[in-house]
Amino acid sequence: MSGAVDLSSLKQPPAGADVPNGHAVTEADFETKVLRRSTQVPVVVALYSQRSPGSIELVKLLERLAGSTTDWELATIEAEANMRIAQAFGVQGIPTVVAVAAGQPLADFTGNQPEEQVTQWLAAVVDAVRGKLPGVGEGGEEPQQPEDPRFVAAEEALDRGDFATAEAAYQAILNSEPGNAEAKAALRQVQFVARVQELDPSVVAKADADPSDLDAALAAADLEMFNQQPEAAFDRLIALVKRTAGDDRTRARTHLLELFELFDPAEPMVVAARRKLAAALY
């Protein structure tokens, strides 16, 4: 997504503004509560402003609707206090509501909407991911399964920002259950996010300025992926595969395959990128 809205010119909120916070998310826990959680159920991200009564009204509606379902979860984000998130979503107006599934934006709308339209939009989001995300029911109540304490421990470590402990926890699950798909996916996500935390935001410009810098190119692709620009990341690495050989080509190809594994193999953009990679190799 691209574009951003400058909210700095908005006036200060009136004293005692009725600001919703039951599902509040910030930059600190966005990875856990939105990106990671969206691998299980769609997460409806509502970006609002304390200065916009209409956006607060919409968030209250979403909070009420969220309380009656387990097929999606709500994340409310105060846009002015979390500008990096707003910019990542390309927010052009307040309120903006974005459904995130499997770590990627699925659908969105801008502006306050009547309850009937919001309900229809939410139903369409759930229908779009039914059978694709494990936490979305097939229609009807399903028995609650007890939480696996091993995953709970890993998620608690993530909440603390302790990536090393979370990675070790998921690896321990895989050591005892090599076929555990949920642990595999979670481990890939944790390893990816952990390494992205160490990146310099200027690495994309550095890679663009010096196409021969392999390390910069790999890091730039990671940062683009983290900033929800997967096609840009794929194209960067495919171009790198085309113009390199030997060990450098192997590193570029291996890195690209690791990024593919962050997605469902049937994701159209992944299928398209795999075709481009095959053409680059052969």
Side-chain angles (χ1 to χ4, degrees):
M1 306 179 81
S2 61
V5 61
D6 180 6
L7 302 180
S8 62
S9 62
L10 298 177
K11 296 180 180 179
Q12 291 297 323
D18 190 4
V19 179
N21 58 16
H23 297 83
V25 171
T26 66
E27 291 180 9
D29 53 13
F30 181 82
E31 164 65 21
T32 300
K33 292 186 177 180
V34 177
L35 297 183
R36 276 188 34 75
R37 184 57 181 152
S38 73
T39 64
Q40 301 297 311
V41 295
V43 177
V44 174
V45 178
L47 293 117
Y48 72 97
S49 170
Q50 297 174 353
R51 302 180 176 106
S52 169
S55 68
I56 293 176
E57 179 182 338
L58 178 61
V59 169
K60 287 181 177 180
L61 169 61
L62 290 169
E63 287 184 320
R64 176 164 57 81
L65 296 175
S68 62
T69 183
T70 59
D71 282 340
W72 58 273
E73 291 189 7
L74 177 64
T76 62
I77 299 176
E78 210 292 315
E80 294 175 83
N82 299 277
M83 285 300 293
R84 288 177 58 195
I85 297 177
Q87 289 168 356
F89 279 119
V91 170
Q92 297 295 320
I94 294 295
T96 288
V97 178
V98 184
V100 178
Q104 297 296 315
L106 175 67
D108 61 76
F109 67 83
T110 300
N112 203 354
Q113 303 291 333
E115 180 172 350
E116 181 180 359
Q117 292 186 23
V118 174
T119 302
Q120 291 174 353
W121 182 85
L122 290 168
V125 167
V126 172
D127 286 344
V129 300
R130 197 181 302 280
K132 299 177 182 178
L133 295 181
V136 179
E138 293 298 329
E141 292 290 324
E142 293 192 11
Q144 289 280 339
Q145 296 296 325
E147 289 189 281
D148 187 326
R150 301 171 301 172
F151 282 91
V152 171
E155 290 164 5
E156 288 176 348
L158 280 177
D159 287 340
R160 300 192 303 269
D162 187 349
F163 297 111
T165 298
E167 181 176 344
Y170 288 125
Q171 186 62 61
I173 297 172
L174 288 174
N175 290 343
S176 60
E177 299 176 27
N180 192 310
E182 184 179 355
K184 282 183 181 178
L187 180 60
R188 293 188 193 110
Q189 292 283 348
V190 170
Q191 290 172 334
F192 171 73
V193 174
R195 74 175 185 244
V196 170
Q197 302 302 307
E198 305 299 322
L199 295 180
D200 184 336
S202 67
V203 72
V204 174
K206 181 180 179 182
D208 290 341
D210 184 4
S212 66
D213 189 335
L214 179 63
D215 290 334
L218 299 182
D222 278 353
L223 196 59
E224 287 170 330
M225 182 65 68
F226 186 70
N227 288 333
Q228 300 185 39
Q229 299 173 300
E231 292 94 341
F234 294 160
D235 288 345
R236 180 183 296 278
L237 294 180
I238 290 167
L240 193 59
V241 168
K242 285 182 179 179
R243 66 174 181 264
T244 54
D247 290 344
D248 284 354
R249 171 178 272 203
T250 298
R251 283 187 65 196
R253 176 177 173 276
T254 300
H255 202 89
L256 178 58
L257 295 178
E258 289 175 356
L259 294 187
F260 285 162
E261 290 181 343
L262 297 174
F263 300 91
D264 184 328
E267 179 73 33
M269 66 181 174
V270 174
V271 173
R274 284 188 180 277
R275 290 198 188 105
K276 293 180 183 178
L277 174 61
L281 289 168
Y282 307 109

